[in-house]
Amino acid sequence: MSIKLGTRGSPLSLAQTSWVLDELKNTNPSLTFEIEKITTKGDTDTRPLFAMEQKGIFEKEIDRAVSEKQVDFAVHSMKDVPSDLDSSLTIACVPKRESVNDVLITNDGFSLDSIPSGSTVGSSSLRRAVQISRKRPDLNVKPIRGNIETRINKVTEKKIDGIVLAKAGISRLGVDTKHSLLSKDEFLPSPGQGALAIICRSDDSKTIEMLKKIEDKNSRIEVEAERSLSEHIDSGCRFPVGAYASVKSDSLILKVGVYSMDGKKSILIEENGTIDNPFELGKKIGNELKSQGVSEIASNWREKLEEWNKQ
């Protein structure tokens, strides 16, 4: 029996897909798999990520192929999957999560504390840009696009002094490069960072059963809390929110940070919940953020981004 899966053709997406296939083959040795590379809007639009409508730019075309039965399932980075997933689809599996930390990559192995004043640091993420500026306002933060290798090459070719990106990306790719780990408490990651989402049709019970064999229970719980938080405040790449959930025995801890565009205002919340109801914990913090003025921060972001997009 041959199973067809869809994914982006980027090196990272293919590496993630290869890892998933290795896991699936270990639990389903009689199956064979065929990879269908699908181009998405996020692959063809060269504008900075913050200049685009973010929902689905890296997964919409692939999920359409799943829904229309061109492929059986799809492998995504969890943070690329919008909370309002089509009702015909389901996140059938969340495999074991990679590191949620961000890293700073420089030629000299600088940490964020030691990189010289005036250095230019690139990032594709508004969240990271604000977090960098909050900690080191003396650095120049520059928007940067391209796959991970392209961004790293800009550092090695000395076109930029450093870049900040997710550690999970270089781990999945097996990239050996000098990097400094950033604290996940100071640099709260994007909701779902480090996790994979395997999508299939909601009514495809056989595929769901196959995929569930490589599910990691704790990773699923953590991601559900973070995605619930995003859903309740409608966050995304155009509205930077940091969130990290962690399972500790029977408890679930969710830390969340929201930042103004200039980095001067922030709302930081940490709450405990139970592993039995991660959605409720995300919703609870979402409501707390609303009561503490997150709507005003979000509105300021939208107004400024609309100005930039008109230029």
Side-chain angles (χ1 to χ4, degrees):
M1 181 179 179
S2 180
I3 309 293
K4 183 177 283 190
L5 66 104
T7 190
R8 295 168 60 203
S10 71
L12 177 57
S13 295
L14 293 175
Q16 292 172 337
T17 298
S18 177
W19 182 86
V20 167
L21 289 185
D22 286 343
E23 295 294 303
L24 288 173
K25 288 173 183 176
N26 286 336
T27 56
N28 304 272
S30 64
L31 298 180
T32 58
F33 297 91
E34 180 182 349
I35 298 175
E36 179 79 17
K37 297 177 186 178
I38 300 172
T39 302
T40 70
K41 178 183 177 182
D43 297 313
T44 57
D45 196 325
T46 59
R47 290 178 296 165
L49 292 180
F50 60 72
M52 293 185 273
E53 173 56 47
Q54 293 301 304
K55 289 189 176 181
I57 64 168
F58 288 118
E59 54 78 48
K60 186 176 293 183
E61 291 84 355
I62 301 172
D63 284 351
R64 185 181 301 120
V66 177
S67 183
E68 295 176 355
K69 299 185 178 182
Q70 297 170 23
V71 297
D72 296 296
F73 68 93
V75 178
H76 299 301
S77 292
M78 181 66 74
K79 62 183 180 179
D80 292 337
V81 180
S83 56
D84 56 345
L85 190 66
D86 189 279
S87 60
S88 68
L89 302 174
T90 184
I91 299 177
C93 174
V94 181
K96 188 167 179 58
R97 193 178 199 178
E98 266 281 0
S99 168
V100 303
N101 295 74
D102 287 326
V103 295
L104 171 66
I105 296 176
T106 65
N107 283 325
D108 300 305
F110 287 120
S111 68
L112 194 60
D113 289 323
S114 64
I115 190 170
S117 179
S119 296
T120 299
V121 177
S123 173
S124 62
S125 159
L126 282 175
R127 171 189 58 79
R128 293 183 186 121
V130 172
Q131 289 170 330
I132 295 166
S133 295
R134 279 169 58 85
K135 186 170 179 64
R136 287 292 306 273
D138 57 321
L139 300 178
N140 300 312
V141 183
K142 177 181 178 181
I144 189 170
R145 282 294 307 271
N147 62 40
I148 289 176
E149 293 96 330
T150 298
R151 283 180 269 171
I152 291 175
N153 286 341
K154 291 183 183 295
V155 176
T156 57
E157 295 168 3
K158 299 185 178 180
K159 295 179 180 178
I160 196 168
D161 299 305
I163 56 172
V164 173
L165 43 71
K167 184 178 188 299
I170 60 175
S171 296
R172 292 280 190 214
L173 280 170
V175 175
D176 183 18
T177 185
K178 292 179 181 178
H179 64 268
S180 172
L181 196 68
L182 300 177
S183 164
K184 60 178 176 285
D185 293 316
E186 283 190 301
F187 281 74
L188 283 165
S190 174
Q193 184 161 305
L196 299 180
I198 308 183
I199 305 288
C200 75
R201 292 181 293 278
S202 303
D203 60 359
D204 188 352
S205 58
K206 287 186 177 180
T207 299
I208 292 173
E209 182 181 0
M210 174 193 69
L211 295 172
K212 283 296 183 187
K213 292 179 181 179
I214 64 168
E215 169 108 322
D216 183 76
K217 180 181 177 181
N218 286 352
S219 297
R220 164 75 74 167
I221 291 168
E222 292 168 357
V223 163
E224 285 182 346
E226 294 165 18
R227 286 175 60 79
S228 173
L229 176 278
S230 294
E231 183 178 358
H232 280 91
I233 61 172
D234 194 27
S235 66
C237 294
R238 292 166 62 87
F239 172 25
V241 176
Y244 170 51
S246 57
V247 172
K248 305 291 184 184
S249 187
D250 293 330
S251 296
L252 180 63
I253 303 169
L254 179 56
K255 299 180 180 181
V256 178
V258 182
Y259 315 94
S260 65
M261 177 164 274
D262 59 10
K264 294 179 180 179
K265 294 181 181 179
S266 64
I267 304 173
L268 302 173
I269 297 174
E270 178 179 335
E271 290 281 358
N272 287 15
T274 67
I275 60 174
D276 297 326
N277 201 340
F279 293 100
E280 189 60 33
L281 181 57
K283 179 181 178 180
K284 179 181 179 182
I285 292 187
N287 289 334
E288 288 185 25
L289 286 171
K290 290 177 182 178
S291 69
Q292 293 189 36
V294 72
S295 296
E296 181 181 351
I297 290 178
S299 176
N300 291 338
W301 272 101
R302 284 192 289 269
E303 290 175 4
K304 187 62 177 179
L305 289 168
E306 286 172 4
E307 290 178 17
W308 286 354
N309 291 338
K310 291 177 182 178
Q311 295 176 2

